[in-house]
Amino acid sequence: MKKIILFQLLVMALLSVSSCDQNKFFELQRPQETQWVNTTTFDQGLATVYWNMNYSPGFRGSTQMHDFITSGVSQLLPQTSTGVAWNEMYFRQFDQNVSHNNDLWKYAYASITLCNAAIQLDNEKNENPFNLKVNSTDYTDNYVRQIGEYYFLRAYAYWNLIKIFAPPYDKNGGDSGAYIPLKTTVPTSKSEIYDEKLGTTEEVYNLIISDLEKAKAKLPKAYNSATMLPTYEVGRATSYASAALLAKVLFLKGDYDRAKNELDVVINASEVEGRYALEAPLEAFNKNVPKNIPKESVLEFNSGDPTVSGSSMYMYYGMIISLNFRDTDNGGRGKDMVKSSWNQFTLSYWALDKAGWMKDPINGDFTITDEAKKDLRFQQLYYPLLAYNATGDPLIYETLSGHAAVDKPQVYVDKYFRGGPGDGRYTKFPLIRLADLYLTRAWLSWKAGDSQGAANDLNKVWNRSNPSNRDKYTAGNISHDIILGEYIREMSGEGWTLDFMMSTRMDIPAGDRVNTTAVSAPYSNWKWKVPVEETNLNPDYK
């Protein structure tokens, strides 16, 4: 996946004004020729984009970390620190540069440039640049699918950029602000680079939605290893992944009816076709082997193959927001479990109160509730610990002097590095999963006045984790806070909680932060600084 062809290196060099010094710009004397000559070489470009969007420093768990730390769902453990810009995120210092955002910017635009090159080639060559027989499997199963993936990945890159560097979409107006460059073609000269403009929030959202609609139409429901390149499907986009991401984009945009329609597409694939299913909670998080794809994953992080030396990468930032960083064959919680010395963040007491998993944590009663003890999610995907005790269980705090100041019971996210056999660091995990889609549809149904429909969807998620206490929800007990509590129990630490809050237009809570207030919709100041390398060289930021 790390193979980058000559043409890709060129277009990445022309990525943006920030990519190189102004004095090094040059004019091409003739049109650049692509090294893409067939579907096999065309797939190499996709491999590079997938690498950028999975393994690169800007994406190896940074979106999950960013979401967890900035929302009110996490709390900062006392006297802990790492080299990551956690302070800026946790205290929402939007006027500060967050270092890992620079990498996200770099690799997202590198991906956009490659996607633009492929889409531009497709447009210029009448959707058949390799002169394939249009009724051949190489055309239908490879080329058409590959173009669909390029559309999906361009949308995915822009989606990550617009959420970090621009305020959320305001359905009541105010979306004419321009924050990030909007690129849809590959520049081939200095003048074309300087002519690139910043896109408004409206324009960027429209491109994302258009790209996902095209991707959904071109991509298959699932991969056929007999006719498709490459022979693996883990981590690659499908039409259902496109519909799911499109639903999330429309949800945040405030286009609730269309969002629900897209959710219906994916959920129907589960309930009618049996393509997805809700299994035991841990089953979505304990797979290392690429071919073992959890039934709940609509799109997942492809960590590579841990059985092949040097072929895998791990979720780097997971060490900061989760309990463990396992590097053994055992993904369980046995004697070889090693608590991450980088961990800084646990579930906030605000979140634990909303989830009903501690009796009264806001006022100092940290007792784990009976409901939590019976919930399979709490049992399998979270981990409660008492305060630090120097003479206590060496399994937990043996060598972690940085955690010696943890003086209150905590509940840790324990969703990552859970796989085996193979190196547990390289465990796959869902980027989009079925339970999230059910909970999102539940809120949309409730908002539209269909409380029974909301209860039905909530119960599907609840019953999976509470088989001895089924059907908790009825049309009479549904509210925003009820759905939010279920979302916190199900999705904390997975990168979507802040999106859910903003999509519903609720106040983003201060959580356990002191001297901090909640942030109300439309969150017009919720944006992070564009990398200084870009603002210094891009005249549109002057």
Side-chain angles (χ1 to χ4, degrees), residues 453-470:
N456 293 342
D457 280 347
L458 286 174
N459 281 328
K460 288 169 185 173
V461 177
W462 171 265
N463 291 347
R464 180 266 296 269
S465 299
N466 295 270
S468 63
N469 181 26
R470 298 175 62 84

Side-chain angles (χ1 to χ4, degrees), residues 11 206 276 359:
V11 295
N206 287 343
Y276 308 106
K359 286 191 175 179

Side-chain angles (χ1 to χ4, degrees), residues 61-68 315 321 416 429 431 493-495:
S62 67
T63 53
Q64 287 80 1
M65 175 186 67
H66 202 288
D67 173 271
F68 190 59
M315 182 194 178
I321 65 172
Y416 303 106
F429 57 88
L431 295 172
E494 296 184 45

Side-chain angles (χ1 to χ4, degrees), residues 292-329:
N292 295 336
I293 299 176
K295 289 289 290 182
E296 192 175 342
S297 288
V298 179
L299 180 68
E300 67 174 339
F301 174 87
N302 178 8
S303 59
D305 188 346
T307 66
V308 179
S309 178
S311 70
S312 299
M313 297 290 279
Y314 58 86
M315 182 194 178
Y316 181 80
Y317 294 108
M319 295 184 288
I320 298 170
I321 65 172
S322 65
L323 174 72
N324 270 282
F325 180 57
R326 295 177 176 84
D327 56 2
T328 70
D329 284 346

Side-chain angles (χ1 to χ4, degrees), residues 6-232:
L6 179 62
F7 174 70
Q8 295 166 339
L9 288 173
L10 172 66
V11 295
M12 288 176 69
L14 287 169
L15 172 61
S16 70
V17 175
S18 65
S19 296
C20 55
D21 187 86
Q22 296 180 60
N23 295 328
K24 296 180 181 179
F25 287 134
F26 59 91
E27 299 285 346
L28 293 177
Q29 299 303 310
R30 60 184 176 82
Q32 176 64 31
E33 295 181 359
T34 175
Q35 297 298 307
W36 290 327
V37 296
N38 53 34
T39 55
T40 299
T41 55
F42 206 41
D43 216 76
Q44 293 172 355
L46 281 173
T48 298
V49 180
Y50 277 115
W51 188 93
N52 289 343
M53 306 302 287
N54 278 282
Y55 299 159
S56 68
F59 286 90
R60 287 167 57 197
S62 67
T63 53
Q64 287 80 1
M65 175 186 67
H66 202 288
D67 173 271
F68 190 59
I69 294 177
T70 59
S71 71
V73 175
S74 69
Q75 65 167 303
L76 172 65
L77 296 179
Q79 298 184 28
T80 57
S81 182
T82 68
V84 175
W86 56 268
N87 190 69
E88 293 87 340
M89 290 184 287
Y90 188 68
F91 293 107
R92 301 170 181 170
Q93 297 172 345
F94 298 111
D95 61 335
Q96 301 295 311
N97 178 260
V98 179
S99 56
H100 70 263
N101 286 348
N102 298 340
D103 285 325
L104 186 149
W105 180 279
K106 171 184 175 181
Y107 286 100
Y109 273 113
S111 299
I112 288 166
T113 301
L114 280 174
C115 291
N116 285 343
I119 294 168
Q120 188 171 323
L121 179 67
D122 181 65
N123 291 334
E124 292 174 351
K125 299 297 183 178
N126 297 316
E127 302 180 347
N128 193 1
F130 310 135
N131 296 317
L132 302 172
K133 294 181 179 179
V134 295
N135 59 350
S136 68
T137 56
D138 196 24
Y139 182 79
T140 58
D141 288 4
N142 286 321
Y143 182 74
V144 174
R145 170 187 56 80
Q146 289 168 336
I147 287 296
E149 287 182 271
Y150 280 114
Y151 275 114
F152 176 89
L153 289 166
R154 185 169 72 175
Y156 188 64
Y158 271 121
W159 177 236
N160 280 277
L161 287 165
I162 199 72
K163 289 199 302 177
I164 294 294
F165 298 106
Y169 192 96
D170 181 3
K171 64 180 180 179
N172 295 317
D175 298 304
S176 60
Y179 302 95
I180 64 173
L182 181 60
K183 308 165 183 281
T184 58
T185 59
V186 180
T188 57
S189 68
K190 179 174 67 176
S191 60
E192 288 183 6
I193 292 174
Y194 276 111
D195 285 342
E196 291 177 341
K197 300 300 181 184
L198 302 182
T200 67
T201 300
E202 182 80 38
E203 290 170 336
V204 176
Y205 266 80
N206 287 343
L207 179 66
I208 293 170
I209 292 168
S210 174
D211 279 358
L212 290 174
E213 288 173 337
K214 291 173 182 175
K216 187 174 67 167
K218 292 178 181 293
L219 287 170
K221 296 179 178 179
Y223 278 70
N224 181 351
S225 60
T227 60
M228 294 181 178
L229 296 168
T231 57
Y232 67 89

Side-chain angles (χ1 to χ4, degrees), residues 236-527:
R236 298 193 76 142
T238 65
S239 62
Y240 291 127
S242 303
L245 184 58
L246 180 56
K248 286 182 167 292
V249 175
L250 294 168
F251 187 32
L252 187 54
K253 187 181 179 184
D255 195 341
Y256 293 157
D257 290 340
R258 289 177 66 194
K260 185 176 180 299
N261 289 339
E262 297 299 330
L263 292 171
D264 289 342
V265 170
V266 187
I267 292 173
N268 286 344
S270 169
E271 298 179 346
V272 177
E273 300 177 24
R275 194 166 299 277
Y276 308 106
L278 296 174
E279 302 176 292
L282 181 59
E283 291 301 311
F285 296 91
N286 63 0
K287 306 295 190 296
N288 272 1
V289 181
K291 68 179 181 181
N292 295 336
I293 299 176
K295 289 289 290 182
E296 192 175 342
S297 288
V298 179
L299 180 68
E300 67 174 339
F301 174 87
N302 178 8
S303 59
D305 188 346
T307 66
V308 179
S309 178
S311 70
S312 299
M313 297 290 279
Y314 58 86
M315 182 194 178
Y316 181 80
Y317 294 108
M319 295 184 288
I320 298 170
I321 65 172
S322 65
L323 174 72
N324 270 282
F325 180 57
R326 295 177 176 84
D327 56 2
T328 70
D329 284 346
N330 183 1
R333 292 165 169 167
K335 62 181 181 180
D336 60 350
M337 184 178 78
V338 179
K339 185 176 180 296
S340 171
S341 59
W342 276 40
N343 174 272
Q344 283 187 265
F345 295 92
T346 58
L347 286 178
S348 68
Y349 295 130
W350 175 89
L352 289 165
D353 183 62
K354 287 290 184 183
W357 279 355
M358 280 185 175
K359 286 191 175 179
D360 189 9
I362 304 299
N363 295 305
D365 188 344
F366 307 115
T367 306
I368 301 298
T369 63
D370 289 339
E371 183 174 284
K373 293 176 182 178
K374 295 176 181 177
D375 195 310
L376 295 180
R377 293 167 295 193
F378 187 83
Q379 296 175 28
Q380 298 178 10
L381 300 178
Y382 299 89
Y383 202 96
L385 287 178
L386 297 176
Y388 174 83
N389 181 349
T391 60
D393 189 348
L395 168 70
I396 303 303
Y397 290 116
E398 184 175 15
T399 60
L400 303 177
S401 58
H403 291 82
V406 179
D407 58 355
K408 298 181 180 65
Q410 305 291 332
V411 175
Y412 291 76
V413 172
D414 195 21
K415 297 180 176 182
Y416 303 106
F417 316 121
R418 298 295 301 276
D423 196 322
R425 287 175 296 178
Y426 303 135
T427 307
K428 302 181 299 173
F429 57 88
L431 295 172
I432 301 176
R433 63 185 178 95
L434 184 61
D436 182 5
L437 307 185
Y438 271 122
L439 295 178
T440 301
R441 192 173 74 169
W443 189 92
L444 289 169
S445 295
W446 167 79
K447 183 67 173 179
D450 181 11
S451 294
Q452 187 57 56
N456 293 342
D457 280 347
L458 286 174
N459 281 328
K460 288 169 185 173
V461 177
W462 171 265
N463 291 347
R464 180 266 296 269
S465 299
N466 295 270
S468 63
N469 181 26
R470 298 175 62 84
D471 298 329
K472 174 181 179 179
Y473 302 106
T474 68
N477 65 12
I478 301 296
S479 67
H480 169 83
D481 275 358
I482 290 294
I483 300 173
L484 175 64
E486 191 65 25
Y487 201 89
I488 290 171
R489 287 187 285 269
E490 186 69 36
M491 295 300 299
S492 291
E494 296 184 45
W496 296 109
T497 307
L498 184 62
D499 279 31
F500 180 85
M501 292 176 175
M502 288 183 169
S503 297
T504 64
R505 305 313 192 252
M506 65 175 277
D507 289 351
I508 310 303
D512 295 353
R513 299 168 182 83
V514 296
N515 300 321
T516 302
T517 59
V519 180
S520 300
Y523 326 109
S524 55
N525 294 320
W526 195 293
K527 61 182 176 67

